[in-house]
Amino acid sequence: MTASPAPTPAPAPSADRLAPWAFAAFVEANTHDTAYRPPVVDGPVGPTIVRNGRELVNFASISFLDLERHIPLQRHFAEGARAHGLSTSGSRMTQGICRPHHVLEETIARHTGKERAISFATGLLANIGFVHAMSSAAHFDTGIEVRNRDTVFVVDRDVHWSIWKGLEGLGYGRRVHAFRHNDVADLARVLERRRAPKTVVIAESLYSADGTMGPIVEILDECDRYGAVSMIDDANGFMVYGPEHRPYAREAAAIRERADFVMVSLSKAIGLEGGAIAGPASAVDAFELLSGTSMFTAAIQPPTAYTAERTIDVLAGKPEIVDDYLAHAARLRRQMHEAGTPTLPTESYMLSVPIGKDAAALQMREWFVEDGYLVPVFSYPAVSRNQALLRLFPHAGHTEEQMDGFLRTLLGYRRRLGV
Amino acid sequence: MLNETEILSAIAEIVEEVAGVDAAEVTAGKSFTDDLDIDSLLMVEITVRVEDRFEVKIPDDRSAELRTVGDAVAYIADYR
């Protein structure tokens, strides 16, 4: 017996009722054809990616250490699934914390230099949960209460969307203030103007937006001066920076030794998915309830938590994995500078290549795909108009031939477009 | 009741404090965005401070219409 094809669904009667939302016009007006029906990816994503059946050299993977192809880690993941199940099957508040999550959180606390860590299904949920926990009021019984609706947040303008989402509704200009990106003098000005007994300063270490490292030491100095609590979103720096011989050792030491809270992501260097907040034990204990994004939603899946702990220990025990990767990224950056297509001035592994005109950048994106490269292009509204840039993640698995090919291709486009 | 000169002077003080623009630069004919280089986030902070200082409410759709310092002064003077 053969299965009959699924019938084509008739237009839903709700289509008319949805008209006031203007979704159809919004989708139709956007000329970027992959915005709404993203290409289908087959197989594991790594230095190359198969999209809609075509293999492209991939400069878009935020999991850049090539760990996903590491057979022992894949085996470890399978072992975690067998030993701890596929799902947590419920909230840690009702059932308890799965062993892999417990061990992972201890491992993250140890590597971030904090007393305790709490994990979340994603980094976004960690950030939203942090803001919520620091700014909410809860009354459970006589004496069992917190009243933190008077918390004031001062954040770098370019912090991740998840922080801004958490701050939504707290009243910009009243409980929420922003300082100019990486501008410590502006931070000091805001703190001076808006002195409050409970102030939380939030900044990132390495900004996804432009690949810069924030002036962490100076930001923490201002926090000390004004008695503000600090939270550093270290999603992009966790397990990459820290050792003395790598760039940004000073910033990483400050995050470890001086920041009150740190947020880490498991989807960057760790190559999995999930996030965590680490900080003083009493606060993190309270976050179990007050974050909301731990108690009221799903957690990291057990085999992921199990593998994340192992990966963190492997990266700490075998520094050559990250050292080799950073050397690989630095080589591409150097080659780009030598070839006259420089990146923004940062020592980070993220390479941002200014292109300028939005139209030229969008044309490049199309050409790159035609020529076999997947290269993320940031144009308006992700960045200001005609400040478009390419934002590349070199991948540990890229061959020299792939990197040379990319560079030759980019130089060719620059000549053709006159940019 | 404050007259327009006093309102202008109070707004200039707020703009200086929030945006770091010299209060002397804040004159009636200046556009917040084009002349004083005040972007949308700073504008929200200034609006909040102006609302508190003058005990007025500036709805979002009206604040978008207040393009110059003089527009803001006139709005507050009328409101009061």
Side-chain angles (χ1 to χ4, degrees):
Chain A
M1 198 174 111
T2 54
S4 54
T8 307
S14 64
D16 288 342
R17 290 199 292 269
L18 275 169
W21 277 262
F23 293 139
F26 175 70
V27 170
E28 202 172 317
N30 194 323
T31 53
H32 178 204
D33 59 357
T34 59
Y36 307 108
R37 301 275 173 100
V40 177
V41 173
D42 285 302
V45 171
T48 59
I49 182 171
V50 178
R51 297 201 329 168
N52 288 349
R54 267 197 74 210
E55 186 175 58
L56 308 173
V57 178
N58 186 14
F59 284 93
S61 175
I62 57 168
S63 165
F64 43 80
L65 290 180
D66 208 18
L67 301 174
E68 59 277 353
R69 294 194 298 176
H70 192 55
I71 300 297
L73 272 184
Q74 292 180 356
R75 266 197 220 111
H76 195 78
F77 189 96
E79 187 187 300
R82 273 199 304 275
H84 301 285
L86 299 181
S87 123
T88 59
S89 306
S91 157
R92 55 201 271 155
M93 292 308 292
T94 50
Q95 297 188 135
I97 303 175
C98 293
R99 176 68 61 190
H101 294 73
H102 179 67
V103 177
L104 171 65
E105 289 168 10
E106 285 184 336
T107 304
I108 289 172
R110 199 166 62 247
H111 283 282
T112 53
K114 308 298 175 213
E115 287 177 355
R116 229 208 107 184
I118 177 171
S119 61
F120 298 84
T122 69
L124 175 144
L125 292 172
N127 275 343
I128 292 176
F130 173 79
V131 172
H132 191 255
M134 294 299 288
S135 60
S136 53
H139 176 93
F140 295 115
D141 207 339
T142 311
I144 308 176
E145 61 177 11
V146 287
R147 295 176 189 279
N148 293 322
R149 293 218 188 277
D150 52 349
T151 301
V152 169
F153 292 88
V154 181
V155 306
D156 185 291
R157 285 185 173 205
D158 282 5
V159 291
H160 191 262
W161 182 87
S162 52
I163 294 290
W164 282 109
K165 187 66 193 167
L167 296 169
E168 204 173 78
L170 296 184
Y172 191 81
R174 295 187 191 280
R175 296 175 62 194
V176 181
H177 304 270
F179 60 96
R180 292 194 183 94
H181 181 45
N182 287 343
D183 185 339
V184 180
D186 199 41
L187 166 64
R189 219 164 47 79
V190 176
L191 289 172
E192 179 64 35
R193 175 160 57 82
R194 191 66 181 86
R195 285 176 182 266
K198 293 179 194 162
T199 302
V200 179
V201 171
I202 304 179
E204 289 185 25
S205 54
L206 201 56
Y207 284 84
S208 306
D210 59 11
T212 58
M213 170 61 79
I216 299 296
V217 175
E218 294 74 13
I219 286 173
L220 295 175
D221 288 347
E222 293 305 328
C223 290
D224 288 348
R225 191 164 298 133
Y226 289 93
V229 164
S230 54
M231 193 280 233
I232 305 296
D233 176 335
D234 194 29
N236 294 315
F238 179 56
M239 298 311 293
V240 177
Y241 300 113
E244 283 290 327
H245 62 279
R246 294 184 193 156
Y248 307 128
R250 177 172 171 263
E251 287 80 358
I255 294 170
R256 183 181 167 80
E257 291 158 19
R258 295 179 57 201
D260 294 298
F261 294 96
V262 59
M263 176 272 185
V264 303
S265 165
L266 304 178
S267 63
K268 310 293 173 75
I270 310 304
L272 293 159
E273 269 149 13
I277 299 282
S282 58
V284 176
D285 287 347
F287 289 1
E288 294 273 359
L289 283 172
L290 299 177
S291 66
T293 50
S294 169
M295 184 164 59
F296 296 127
T297 188
I300 298 171
Q301 287 174 286
T304 300
Y306 186 71
T307 312
E309 181 269 324
R310 172 92 181 117
T311 305
I312 291 169
D313 278 345
V314 167
L315 292 182
K318 294 185 173 176
E320 63 273 19
I321 297 174
V322 174
D323 288 343
D324 289 352
Y325 170 68
L326 291 177
H328 180 73
R331 191 166 58 242
L332 180 58
R333 189 191 313 110
R334 198 170 54 244
Q335 284 170 342
M336 296 182 85
H337 280 259
E338 285 166 5
T341 177
T343 62
L344 289 178
T346 164
E347 291 299 304
S348 80
Y349 59 85
M350 289 182 207
L351 307 183
S352 297
V353 188
I355 299 299
K357 291 179 186 155
D358 288 334
L362 294 173
Q363 178 65 70
M364 274 192 190
R365 170 163 57 200
E366 266 179 43
W367 285 347
F368 269 126
V369 171
E370 284 166 18
D371 288 333
Y373 298 93
L374 178 59
V375 177
V377 171
F378 283 24
S379 58
Y380 181 82
V383 291
S384 302
R385 280 191 200 280
N386 294 317
Q387 301 286 318
L389 44 85
L390 311 179
R391 213 279 314 279
L392 314 170
F393 282 93
H395 193 281
H398 281 148
T399 63
E400 278 192 31
E401 193 189 351
Q402 287 169 333
M403 288 162 81
D404 290 350
F406 159 75
L407 190 50
R408 269 200 311 276
T409 307
L410 171 61
L411 290 171
Y413 296 167
R414 278 193 178 278
R415 273 195 299 276
R416 274 165 79 182
L417 292 165
V419 291
Chain B
M1 172 150 342
L2 296 172
N3 62 33
E4 293 205 355
T5 312
E6 289 164 327
I7 294 171
L8 174 63
S9 148
I11 290 178
E13 208 176 283
I14 290 170
V15 169
E16 177 170 307
E17 208 179 308
V18 171
V21 176
D22 190 341
E25 294 286 308
V26 185
T27 53
K30 296 266 176 79
S31 152
F32 286 108
T33 50
D34 298 338
D35 299 323
L36 301 176
D37 200 22
I38 289 168
D39 63 20
S40 57
L41 272 184
L42 286 173
M43 204 55 218
V44 177
E45 293 227 19
I46 290 167
T47 304
V48 168
R49 303 281 287 229
V50 166
E51 285 181 334
D52 290 353
R53 171 72 179 75
F54 297 102
E55 295 179 341
V56 300
K57 182 76 202 127
I58 308 176
D60 287 349
D61 55 341
R62 288 308 309 277
S63 70
E65 292 167 12
L66 305 180
R67 280 194 285 273
T68 66
V69 176
D71 292 343
V73 172
Y75 179 85
I76 293 160
D78 287 351
Y79 194 95
R80 295 168 72 87

